[in-house]
Amino acid sequence: WRAGKRSRKESHKVRETHHPSVGSGKMTKNIRITYLRRSSYRTASNKVQAVKTPGGRLTAQYIKKRGKVPSCGDCKQELHGIPALRPNKFKHLVKRKRTVTRAYGGSRCGKCVRERIVRAFLFEEQKIVKQVVAQRSTKTKK
């Protein structure tokens, strides 16, 4: 191999170098690790953390994305009782862990469900009142 190139094992080592930004002349660790997977770009799905193995070697440990708690479709608040998981893990959960046993469970929060029920009830009451008024008006015309 050429003088400028380093082997994979060497690139994992921690090299102590003099860092120009440190004015006191102290030695600081210059941590350089290589990616272990195919993607060589620092993207959201390719996050790594430098971890020292029991053998004393520095290696890249891949960090998984954090899950997001499902939110209510109406008020956008986080739903209680449902875990924050990535879609793939969420898909494999048992149904009772994915939802809440209630109408609109896992989709709407309790407050919004209550509002919907009350609103539907009031609309039905309004329809009945309109029918009664219409019947009375027809009786008075006859």
Side-chain angles (χ1 to χ4, degrees), residues 25-62:
K26 287 183 181 176
M27 301 293 269
T28 58
K29 288 183 180 177
N30 185 4
I31 299 168
R32 291 184 187 179
I33 54 171
T34 54
Y35 286 118
L36 304 175
R37 296 179 187 164
R38 286 175 186 267
S39 177
S40 60
Y41 299 103
R42 190 177 173 216
T43 60
S45 63
N46 202 27
K47 284 185 180 170
V48 291
Q49 185 178 20
V51 175
K52 206 164 202 177
T53 60
R57 199 182 93 180
L58 258 192
T59 184
Q61 188 179 55
Y62 283 84

PDB file of all heavy atoms in Angstrom, residues 25-62:
ATOM      1  N   GLY A  25      -0.831  23.880  24.067  1.00  0.00           N
ATOM      2  CA  GLY A  25       0.085  22.852  23.574  1.00  0.00           C
ATOM      3  C   GLY A  25      -0.221  21.476  24.127  1.00  0.00           C
ATOM      4  O   GLY A  25       0.609  20.591  24.086  1.00  0.00           O
ATOM      5  N   LYS A  26      -1.438  21.293  24.675  1.00  0.00           N
ATOM      6  CA  LYS A  26      -1.826  19.983  25.200  1.00  0.00           C
ATOM      7  C   LYS A  26      -2.107  19.024  24.046  1.00  0.00           C
ATOM      8  O   LYS A  26      -2.477  19.435  22.959  1.00  0.00           O
ATOM      9  CB  LYS A  26      -3.091  20.097  26.056  1.00  0.00           C
ATOM     10  CG  LYS A  26      -2.858  20.748  27.390  1.00  0.00           C
ATOM     11  CD  LYS A  26      -4.147  20.734  28.171  1.00  0.00           C
ATOM     12  CE  LYS A  26      -3.951  21.413  29.514  1.00  0.00           C
ATOM     13  NZ  LYS A  26      -5.193  21.496  30.261  1.00  0.00           N
ATOM     14  N   MET A  27      -1.970  17.743  24.341  1.00  0.00           N
ATOM     15  CA  MET A  27      -2.277  16.735  23.341  1.00  0.00           C
ATOM     16  C   MET A  27      -3.763  16.380  23.461  1.00  0.00           C
ATOM     17  O   MET A  27      -4.270  16.161  24.556  1.00  0.00           O
ATOM     18  CB  MET A  27      -1.438  15.474  23.579  1.00  0.00           C
ATOM     19  CG  MET A  27       0.048  15.727  23.541  1.00  0.00           C
ATOM     20  SD  MET A  27       0.612  16.179  21.917  1.00  0.00           S
ATOM     21  CE  MET A  27       1.002  14.581  21.286  1.00  0.00           C
ATOM     22  N   THR A  28      -4.465  16.338  22.329  1.00  0.00           N
ATOM     23  CA  THR A  28      -5.871  15.960  22.325  1.00  0.00           C
ATOM     24  C   THR A  28      -6.052  14.754  21.420  1.00  0.00           C
ATOM     25  O   THR A  28      -5.260  14.537  20.505  1.00  0.00           O
ATOM     26  CB  THR A  28      -6.770  17.098  21.802  1.00  0.00           C
ATOM     27  OG1 THR A  28      -6.349  17.435  20.494  1.00  0.00           O
ATOM     28  CG2 THR A  28      -6.716  18.303  22.706  1.00  0.00           C
ATOM     29  N   LYS A  29      -7.109  13.998  21.695  1.00  0.00           N
ATOM     30  CA  LYS A  29      -7.358  12.819  20.879  1.00  0.00           C
ATOM     31  C   LYS A  29      -8.091  13.201  19.601  1.00  0.00           C
ATOM     32  O   LYS A  29      -9.092  13.893  19.636  1.00  0.00           O
ATOM     33  CB  LYS A  29      -8.175  11.800  21.676  1.00  0.00           C
ATOM     34  CG  LYS A  29      -7.365  11.142  22.743  1.00  0.00           C
ATOM     35  CD  LYS A  29      -8.153  10.092  23.460  1.00  0.00           C
ATOM     36  CE  LYS A  29      -7.281   9.460  24.522  1.00  0.00           C
ATOM     37  NZ  LYS A  29      -7.996   8.485  25.302  1.00  0.00           N
ATOM     38  N   ASN A  30      -7.555  12.746  18.495  1.00  0.00           N
ATOM     39  CA  ASN A  30      -8.178  12.956  17.203  1.00  0.00           C
ATOM     40  C   ASN A  30      -8.838  11.631  16.829  1.00  0.00           C
ATOM     41  O   ASN A  30      -8.184  10.707  16.387  1.00  0.00           O
ATOM     42  CB  ASN A  30      -7.120  13.360  16.181  1.00  0.00           C
ATOM     43  CG  ASN A  30      -7.734  13.718  14.854  1.00  0.00           C
ATOM     44  OD1 ASN A  30      -8.953  13.739  14.736  1.00  0.00           O
ATOM     45  ND2 ASN A  30      -6.917  13.978  13.876  1.00  0.00           N
ATOM     46  N   ILE A  31     -10.149  11.518  17.061  1.00  0.00           N
ATOM     47  CA  ILE A  31     -10.837  10.254  16.867  1.00  0.00           C
ATOM     48  C   ILE A  31     -11.298  10.141  15.427  1.00  0.00           C
ATOM     49  O   ILE A  31     -12.083  10.947  14.939  1.00  0.00           O
ATOM     50  CB  ILE A  31     -12.050  10.144  17.824  1.00  0.00           C
ATOM     51  CG1 ILE A  31     -11.557  10.213  19.259  1.00  0.00           C
ATOM     52  CG2 ILE A  31     -12.813   8.862  17.589  1.00  0.00           C
ATOM     53  CD1 ILE A  31     -12.647  10.404  20.261  1.00  0.00           C
ATOM     54  N   ARG A  32     -10.791   9.116  14.757  1.00  0.00           N
ATOM     55  CA  ARG A  32     -11.204   8.857  13.388  1.00  0.00           C
ATOM     56  C   ARG A  32     -11.630   7.409  13.277  1.00  0.00           C
ATOM     57  O   ARG A  32     -10.858   6.513  13.589  1.00  0.00           O
ATOM     58  CB  ARG A  32     -10.054   9.114  12.415  1.00  0.00           C
ATOM     59  CG  ARG A  32      -9.691  10.560  12.313  1.00  0.00           C
ATOM     60  CD  ARG A  32      -8.643  10.774  11.291  1.00  0.00           C
ATOM     61  NE  ARG A  32      -8.195  12.156  11.342  1.00  0.00           N
ATOM     62  CZ  ARG A  32      -7.257  12.645  10.565  1.00  0.00           C
ATOM     63  NH1 ARG A  32      -6.640  11.860   9.722  1.00  0.00           N
ATOM     64  NH2 ARG A  32      -6.911  13.910  10.654  1.00  0.00           N
ATOM     65  N   ILE A  33     -12.873   7.212  12.839  1.00  0.00           N
ATOM     66  CA  ILE A  33     -13.359   5.850  12.635  1.00  0.00           C
ATOM     67  C   ILE A  33     -13.950   5.760  11.240  1.00  0.00           C
ATOM     68  O   ILE A  33     -14.346   6.768  10.663  1.00  0.00           O
ATOM     69  CB  ILE A  33     -14.421   5.442  13.687  1.00  0.00           C
ATOM     70  CG1 ILE A  33     -15.555   6.453  13.722  1.00  0.00           C
ATOM     71  CG2 ILE A  33     -13.796   5.268  15.040  1.00  0.00           C
ATOM     72  CD1 ILE A  33     -16.728   6.025  14.548  1.00  0.00           C
ATOM     73  N   THR A  34     -14.009   4.567  10.713  1.00  0.00           N
ATOM     74  CA  THR A  34     -14.583   4.374   9.381  1.00  0.00           C
ATOM     75  C   THR A  34     -15.956   3.725   9.514  1.00  0.00           C
ATOM     76  O   THR A  34     -16.205   2.979  10.459  1.00  0.00           O
ATOM     77  CB  THR A  34     -13.685   3.472   8.521  1.00  0.00           C
ATOM     78  OG1 THR A  34     -13.459   2.260   9.231  1.00  0.00           O
ATOM     79  CG2 THR A  34     -12.372   4.146   8.214  1.00  0.00           C
ATOM     80  N   TYR A  35     -16.806   4.026   8.545  1.00  0.00           N
ATOM     81  CA  TYR A  35     -18.117   3.391   8.502  1.00  0.00           C
ATOM     82  C   TYR A  35     -17.947   1.899   8.236  1.00  0.00           C
ATOM     83  O   TYR A  35     -17.037   1.488   7.521  1.00  0.00           O
ATOM     84  CB  TYR A  35     -18.973   3.994   7.392  1.00  0.00           C
ATOM     85  CG  TYR A  35     -19.496   5.373   7.698  1.00  0.00           C
ATOM     86  CD1 TYR A  35     -19.137   6.462   6.913  1.00  0.00           C
ATOM     87  CD2 TYR A  35     -20.369   5.589   8.749  1.00  0.00           C
ATOM     88  CE1 TYR A  35     -19.632   7.726   7.181  1.00  0.00           C
ATOM     89  CE2 TYR A  35     -20.870   6.849   9.021  1.00  0.00           C
ATOM     90  CZ  TYR A  35     -20.495   7.911   8.236  1.00  0.00           C
ATOM     91  OH  TYR A  35     -20.986   9.150   8.494  1.00  0.00           O
ATOM     92  N   LEU A  36     -18.839   1.099   8.795  1.00  0.00           N
ATOM     93  CA  LEU A  36     -18.757  -0.344   8.607  1.00  0.00           C
ATOM     94  C   LEU A  36     -19.688  -0.823   7.502  1.00  0.00           C
ATOM     95  O   LEU A  36     -19.504  -1.904   6.956  1.00  0.00           O
ATOM     96  CB  LEU A  36     -19.119  -1.065   9.916  1.00  0.00           C
ATOM     97  CG  LEU A  36     -18.290  -0.671  11.135  1.00  0.00           C
ATOM     98  CD1 LEU A  36     -18.823  -1.356  12.371  1.00  0.00           C
ATOM     99  CD2 LEU A  36     -16.836  -1.015  10.925  1.00  0.00           C
ATOM    100  N   ARG A  37     -20.693  -0.043   7.175  1.00  0.00           N
ATOM    101  CA  ARG A  37     -21.660  -0.425   6.148  1.00  0.00           C
ATOM    102  C   ARG A  37     -21.352   0.275   4.832  1.00  0.00           C
ATOM    103  O   ARG A  37     -20.408   1.050   4.736  1.00  0.00           O
ATOM    104  CB  ARG A  37     -23.070  -0.086   6.628  1.00  0.00           C
ATOM    105  CG  ARG A  37     -23.449  -0.888   7.859  1.00  0.00           C
ATOM    106  CD  ARG A  37     -24.834  -0.541   8.333  1.00  0.00           C
ATOM    107  NE  ARG A  37     -25.127  -1.190   9.608  1.00  0.00           N
ATOM    108  CZ  ARG A  37     -26.109  -0.846  10.406  1.00  0.00           C
ATOM    109  NH1 ARG A  37     -26.913   0.150  10.081  1.00  0.00           N
ATOM    110  NH2 ARG A  37     -26.313  -1.476  11.538  1.00  0.00           N
ATOM    111  N   ARG A  38     -22.176   0.037   3.835  1.00  0.00           N
ATOM    112  CA  ARG A  38     -21.892   0.536   2.486  1.00  0.00           C
ATOM    113  C   ARG A  38     -21.983   2.055   2.353  1.00  0.00           C
ATOM    114  O   ARG A  38     -21.195   2.662   1.648  1.00  0.00           O
ATOM    115  CB  ARG A  38     -22.863  -0.100   1.486  1.00  0.00           C
ATOM    116  CG  ARG A  38     -22.532  -1.536   1.201  1.00  0.00           C
ATOM    117  CD  ARG A  38     -23.587  -2.135   0.298  1.00  0.00           C
ATOM    118  NE  ARG A  38     -23.366  -3.561   0.120  1.00  0.00           N
ATOM    119  CZ  ARG A  38     -22.677  -4.081  -0.868  1.00  0.00           C
ATOM    120  NH1 ARG A  38     -22.112  -3.306  -1.764  1.00  0.00           N
ATOM    121  NH2 ARG A  38     -22.548  -5.394  -0.957  1.00  0.00           N
ATOM    122  N   SER A  39     -22.993   2.681   2.993  1.00  0.00           N
ATOM    123  CA  SER A  39     -23.196   4.121   2.813  1.00  0.00           C
ATOM    124  C   SER A  39     -22.062   4.912   3.463  1.00  0.00           C
ATOM    125  O   SER A  39     -21.716   4.688   4.616  1.00  0.00           O
ATOM    126  CB  SER A  39     -24.520   4.537   3.445  1.00  0.00           C
ATOM    127  OG  SER A  39     -24.697   5.923   3.330  1.00  0.00           O
ATOM    128  N   SER A  40     -21.484   5.820   2.697  1.00  0.00           N
ATOM    129  CA  SER A  40     -20.341   6.588   3.199  1.00  0.00           C
ATOM    130  C   SER A  40     -20.697   8.045   3.471  1.00  0.00           C
ATOM    131  O   SER A  40     -19.816   8.886   3.586  1.00  0.00           O
ATOM    132  CB  SER A  40     -19.192   6.516   2.199  1.00  0.00           C
ATOM    133  OG  SER A  40     -19.622   7.050   0.962  1.00  0.00           O
ATOM    134  N   TYR A  41     -21.978   8.344   3.535  1.00  0.00           N
ATOM    135  CA  TYR A  41     -22.414   9.718   3.778  1.00  0.00           C
ATOM    136  C   TYR A  41     -23.042   9.857   5.152  1.00  0.00           C
ATOM    137  O   TYR A  41     -23.645   8.929   5.662  1.00  0.00           O
ATOM    138  CB  TYR A  41     -23.415  10.147   2.696  1.00  0.00           C
ATOM    139  CG  TYR A  41     -22.823  10.105   1.321  1.00  0.00           C
ATOM    140  CD1 TYR A  41     -23.134   9.063   0.456  1.00  0.00           C
ATOM    141  CD2 TYR A  41     -21.930  11.073   0.896  1.00  0.00           C
ATOM    142  CE1 TYR A  41     -22.577   9.015  -0.810  1.00  0.00           C
ATOM    143  CE2 TYR A  41     -21.374  11.036  -0.361  1.00  0.00           C
ATOM    144  CZ  TYR A  41     -21.691  10.002  -1.214  1.00  0.00           C
ATOM    145  OH  TYR A  41     -21.140   9.948  -2.451  1.00  0.00           O
ATOM    146  N   ARG A  42     -22.922  11.051   5.721  1.00  0.00           N
ATOM    147  CA  ARG A  42     -23.431  11.312   7.069  1.00  0.00           C
ATOM    148  C   ARG A  42     -24.899  11.731   6.982  1.00  0.00           C
ATOM    149  O   ARG A  42     -25.236  12.907   7.104  1.00  0.00           O
ATOM    150  CB  ARG A  42     -22.581  12.407   7.703  1.00  0.00           C
ATOM    151  CG  ARG A  42     -22.840  12.609   9.165  1.00  0.00           C
ATOM    152  CD  ARG A  42     -21.892  13.648   9.684  1.00  0.00           C
ATOM    153  NE  ARG A  42     -22.218  13.979  11.046  1.00  0.00           N
ATOM    154  CZ  ARG A  42     -22.102  15.196  11.549  1.00  0.00           C
ATOM    155  NH1 ARG A  42     -21.691  16.187  10.794  1.00  0.00           N
ATOM    156  NH2 ARG A  42     -22.404  15.419  12.798  1.00  0.00           N
ATOM    157  N   THR A  43     -25.760  10.769   6.760  1.00  0.00           N
ATOM    158  CA  THR A  43     -27.186  11.046   6.623  1.00  0.00           C
ATOM    159  C   THR A  43     -27.912  10.701   7.925  1.00  0.00           C
ATOM    160  O   THR A  43     -27.315  10.138   8.838  1.00  0.00           O
ATOM    161  CB  THR A  43     -27.786  10.207   5.478  1.00  0.00           C
ATOM    162  OG1 THR A  43     -27.595   8.828   5.781  1.00  0.00           O
ATOM    163  CG2 THR A  43     -27.147  10.536   4.147  1.00  0.00           C
ATOM    164  N   ALA A  44     -29.211  10.996   7.958  1.00  0.00           N
ATOM    165  CA  ALA A  44     -30.017  10.730   9.152  1.00  0.00           C
ATOM    166  C   ALA A  44     -30.096   9.238   9.466  1.00  0.00           C
ATOM    167  O   ALA A  44     -30.167   8.841  10.617  1.00  0.00           O
ATOM    168  CB  ALA A  44     -31.416  11.299   8.981  1.00  0.00           C
ATOM    169  N   SER A  45     -30.065   8.423   8.426  1.00  0.00           N
ATOM    170  CA  SER A  45     -30.182   6.978   8.640  1.00  0.00           C
ATOM    171  C   SER A  45     -28.824   6.301   8.810  1.00  0.00           C
ATOM    172  O   SER A  45     -28.752   5.095   8.983  1.00  0.00           O
ATOM    173  CB  SER A  45     -30.912   6.339   7.461  1.00  0.00           C
ATOM    174  OG  SER A  45     -30.160   6.526   6.286  1.00  0.00           O
ATOM    175  N   ASN A  46     -27.739   7.083   8.754  1.00  0.00           N
ATOM    176  CA  ASN A  46     -26.395   6.502   8.837  1.00  0.00           C
ATOM    177  C   ASN A  46     -25.610   7.122   9.997  1.00  0.00           C
ATOM    178  O   ASN A  46     -24.431   7.434   9.856  1.00  0.00           O
ATOM    179  CB  ASN A  46     -25.669   6.733   7.503  1.00  0.00           C
ATOM    180  CG  ASN A  46     -24.548   5.752   7.284  1.00  0.00           C
ATOM    181  OD1 ASN A  46     -24.569   4.642   7.790  1.00  0.00           O
ATOM    182  ND2 ASN A  46     -23.545   6.167   6.536  1.00  0.00           N
ATOM    183  N   LYS A  47     -26.275   7.315  11.141  1.00  0.00           N
ATOM    184  CA  LYS A  47     -25.606   7.926  12.291  1.00  0.00           C
ATOM    185  C   LYS A  47     -24.771   6.891  13.024  1.00  0.00           C
ATOM    186  O   LYS A  47     -25.227   5.765  13.245  1.00  0.00           O
ATOM    187  CB  LYS A  47     -26.633   8.516  13.252  1.00  0.00           C
ATOM    188  CG  LYS A  47     -27.221   9.811  12.761  1.00  0.00           C
ATOM    189  CD  LYS A  47     -28.126  10.403  13.793  1.00  0.00           C
ATOM    190  CE  LYS A  47     -28.723  11.708  13.277  1.00  0.00           C
ATOM    191  NZ  LYS A  47     -29.771  12.201  14.140  1.00  0.00           N
ATOM    192  N   VAL A  48     -23.566   7.289  13.403  1.00  0.00           N
ATOM    193  CA  VAL A  48     -22.692   6.389  14.145  1.00  0.00           C
ATOM    194  C   VAL A  48     -22.157   7.079  15.387  1.00  0.00           C
ATOM    195  O   VAL A  48     -22.130   8.309  15.471  1.00  0.00           O
ATOM    196  CB  VAL A  48     -21.495   5.893  13.296  1.00  0.00           C
ATOM    197  CG1 VAL A  48     -21.938   4.970  12.200  1.00  0.00           C
ATOM    198  CG2 VAL A  48     -20.692   7.035  12.768  1.00  0.00           C
ATOM    199  N   GLN A  49     -21.742   6.264  16.335  1.00  0.00           N
ATOM    200  CA  GLN A  49     -21.136   6.764  17.561  1.00  0.00           C
ATOM    201  C   GLN A  49     -19.845   5.989  17.759  1.00  0.00           C
ATOM    202  O   GLN A  49     -19.812   4.773  17.554  1.00  0.00           O
ATOM    203  CB  GLN A  49     -22.092   6.524  18.722  1.00  0.00           C
ATOM    204  CG  GLN A  49     -21.608   7.111  20.031  1.00  0.00           C
ATOM    205  CD  GLN A  49     -22.642   6.886  21.130  1.00  0.00           C
ATOM    206  OE1 GLN A  49     -23.493   6.017  21.028  1.00  0.00           O
ATOM    207  NE2 GLN A  49     -22.550   7.656  22.185  1.00  0.00           N
ATOM    208  N   ALA A  50     -18.796   6.681  18.149  1.00  0.00           N
ATOM    209  CA  ALA A  50     -17.519   6.017  18.387  1.00  0.00           C
ATOM    210  C   ALA A  50     -17.582   5.297  19.726  1.00  0.00           C
ATOM    211  O   ALA A  50     -17.857   5.903  20.753  1.00  0.00           O
ATOM    212  CB  ALA A  50     -16.387   7.033  18.386  1.00  0.00           C
ATOM    213  N   VAL A  51     -17.340   3.993  19.709  1.00  0.00           N
ATOM    214  CA  VAL A  51     -17.409   3.176  20.919  1.00  0.00           C
ATOM    215  C   VAL A  51     -16.132   2.373  21.038  1.00  0.00           C
ATOM    216  O   VAL A  51     -15.632   1.823  20.061  1.00  0.00           O
ATOM    217  CB  VAL A  51     -18.629   2.215  20.851  1.00  0.00           C
ATOM    218  CG1 VAL A  51     -18.639   1.274  22.028  1.00  0.00           C
ATOM    219  CG2 VAL A  51     -19.906   3.010  20.812  1.00  0.00           C
ATOM    220  N   LYS A  52     -15.608   2.317  22.255  1.00  0.00           N
ATOM    221  CA  LYS A  52     -14.402   1.538  22.491  1.00  0.00           C
ATOM    222  C   LYS A  52     -14.803   0.122  22.883  1.00  0.00           C
ATOM    223  O   LYS A  52     -15.580  -0.078  23.809  1.00  0.00           O
ATOM    224  CB  LYS A  52     -13.570   2.171  23.603  1.00  0.00           C
ATOM    225  CG  LYS A  52     -12.103   1.862  23.505  1.00  0.00           C
ATOM    226  CD  LYS A  52     -11.308   2.794  24.373  1.00  0.00           C
ATOM    227  CE  LYS A  52      -9.882   2.865  23.891  1.00  0.00           C
ATOM    228  NZ  LYS A  52      -9.110   3.812  24.671  1.00  0.00           N
ATOM    229  N   THR A  53     -14.293  -0.846  22.169  1.00  0.00           N
ATOM    230  CA  THR A  53     -14.622  -2.250  22.427  1.00  0.00           C
ATOM    231  C   THR A  53     -13.792  -2.759  23.596  1.00  0.00           C
ATOM    232  O   THR A  53     -12.793  -2.133  23.965  1.00  0.00           O
ATOM    233  CB  THR A  53     -14.331  -3.112  21.182  1.00  0.00           C
ATOM    234  OG1 THR A  53     -12.938  -2.993  20.878  1.00  0.00           O
ATOM    235  CG2 THR A  53     -15.158  -2.669  19.998  1.00  0.00           C
ATOM    236  N   PRO A  54     -14.178  -3.906  24.171  1.00  0.00           N
ATOM    237  CA  PRO A  54     -13.385  -4.467  25.270  1.00  0.00           C
ATOM    238  C   PRO A  54     -11.935  -4.754  24.874  1.00  0.00           C
ATOM    239  O   PRO A  54     -11.049  -4.777  25.719  1.00  0.00           O
ATOM    240  CB  PRO A  54     -14.113  -5.771  25.603  1.00  0.00           C
ATOM    241  CG  PRO A  54     -15.498  -5.549  25.161  1.00  0.00           C
ATOM    242  CD  PRO A  54     -15.416  -4.658  23.969  1.00  0.00           C
ATOM    243  N   GLY A  55     -11.698  -4.930  23.589  1.00  0.00           N
ATOM    244  CA  GLY A  55     -10.336  -5.168  23.101  1.00  0.00           C
ATOM    245  C   GLY A  55      -9.516  -3.894  22.998  1.00  0.00           C
ATOM    246  O   GLY A  55      -8.353  -3.930  22.595  1.00  0.00           O
ATOM    247  N   GLY A  56     -10.119  -2.750  23.318  1.00  0.00           N
ATOM    248  CA  GLY A  56      -9.388  -1.479  23.284  1.00  0.00           C
ATOM    249  C   GLY A  56      -9.409  -0.815  21.927  1.00  0.00           C
ATOM    250  O   GLY A  56      -8.679   0.153  21.693  1.00  0.00           O
ATOM    251  N   ARG A  57     -10.212  -1.313  21.022  1.00  0.00           N
ATOM    252  CA  ARG A  57     -10.278  -0.764  19.665  1.00  0.00           C
ATOM    253  C   ARG A  57     -11.478   0.155  19.530  1.00  0.00           C
ATOM    254  O   ARG A  57     -12.529  -0.112  20.105  1.00  0.00           O
ATOM    255  CB  ARG A  57     -10.430  -1.952  18.710  1.00  0.00           C
ATOM    256  CG  ARG A  57     -10.082  -1.657  17.298  1.00  0.00           C
ATOM    257  CD  ARG A  57     -10.324  -2.893  16.467  1.00  0.00           C
ATOM    258  NE  ARG A  57     -11.670  -2.811  15.927  1.00  0.00           N
ATOM    259  CZ  ARG A  57     -12.218  -3.732  15.136  1.00  0.00           C
ATOM    260  NH1 ARG A  57     -11.548  -4.818  14.848  1.00  0.00           N
ATOM    261  NH2 ARG A  57     -13.428  -3.586  14.678  1.00  0.00           N
ATOM    262  N   LEU A  58     -11.336   1.231  18.783  1.00  0.00           N
ATOM    263  CA  LEU A  58     -12.468   2.132  18.531  1.00  0.00           C
ATOM    264  C   LEU A  58     -13.224   1.623  17.321  1.00  0.00           C
ATOM    265  O   LEU A  58     -12.620   1.301  16.309  1.00  0.00           O
ATOM    266  CB  LEU A  58     -11.977   3.542  18.238  1.00  0.00           C
ATOM    267  CG  LEU A  58     -12.053   4.576  19.328  1.00  0.00           C
ATOM    268  CD1 LEU A  58     -11.799   5.933  18.760  1.00  0.00           C
ATOM    269  CD2 LEU A  58     -13.351   4.567  20.078  1.00  0.00           C
ATOM    270  N   THR A  59     -14.527   1.571  17.420  1.00  0.00           N
ATOM    271  CA  THR A  59     -15.328   1.135  16.283  1.00  0.00           C
ATOM    272  C   THR A  59     -16.607   1.955  16.199  1.00  0.00           C
ATOM    273  O   THR A  59     -16.975   2.624  17.162  1.00  0.00           O
ATOM    274  CB  THR A  59     -15.640  -0.375  16.382  1.00  0.00           C
ATOM    275  OG1 THR A  59     -16.334  -0.776  15.216  1.00  0.00           O
ATOM    276  CG2 THR A  59     -16.474  -0.693  17.600  1.00  0.00           C
ATOM    277  N   ALA A  60     -17.248   1.909  15.048  1.00  0.00           N
ATOM    278  CA  ALA A  60     -18.488   2.660  14.833  1.00  0.00           C
ATOM    279  C   ALA A  60     -19.665   1.824  15.276  1.00  0.00           C
ATOM    280  O   ALA A  60     -19.802   0.672  14.882  1.00  0.00           O
ATOM    281  CB  ALA A  60     -18.629   3.013  13.360  1.00  0.00           C
ATOM    282  N   GLN A  61     -20.512   2.410  16.123  1.00  0.00           N
ATOM    283  CA  GLN A  61     -21.737   1.745  16.535  1.00  0.00           C
ATOM    284  C   GLN A  61     -22.902   2.525  15.918  1.00  0.00           C
ATOM    285  O   GLN A  61     -23.017   3.724  16.128  1.00  0.00           O
ATOM    286  CB  GLN A  61     -21.855   1.748  18.055  1.00  0.00           C
ATOM    287  CG  GLN A  61     -22.993   0.902  18.566  1.00  0.00           C
ATOM    288  CD  GLN A  61     -23.054   0.910  20.082  1.00  0.00           C
ATOM    289  OE1 GLN A  61     -23.118   1.985  20.690  1.00  0.00           O
ATOM    290  NE2 GLN A  61     -23.027  -0.257  20.683  1.00  0.00           N
ATOM    291  N   TYR A  62     -23.707   1.834  15.135  1.00  0.00           N
ATOM    292  CA  TYR A  62     -24.792   2.505  14.434  1.00  0.00           C
ATOM    293  C   TYR A  62     -25.958   2.786  15.365  1.00  0.00           C
ATOM    294  O   TYR A  62     -26.355   1.936  16.158  1.00  0.00           O
ATOM    295  CB  TYR A  62     -25.252   1.662  13.241  1.00  0.00           C
ATOM    296  CG  TYR A  62     -24.287   1.776  12.093  1.00  0.00           C
ATOM    297  CD1 TYR A  62     -23.158   0.979  12.033  1.00  0.00           C
ATOM    298  CD2 TYR A  62     -24.476   2.720  11.093  1.00  0.00           C
ATOM    299  CE1 TYR A  62     -22.248   1.102  11.004  1.00  0.00           C
ATOM    300  CE2 TYR A  62     -23.577   2.855  10.059  1.00  0.00           C
ATOM    301  CZ  TYR A  62     -22.469   2.038  10.016  1.00  0.00           C
ATOM    302  OH  TYR A  62     -21.569   2.187   8.992  1.00  0.00           O
TER     303      TYR A  62
END
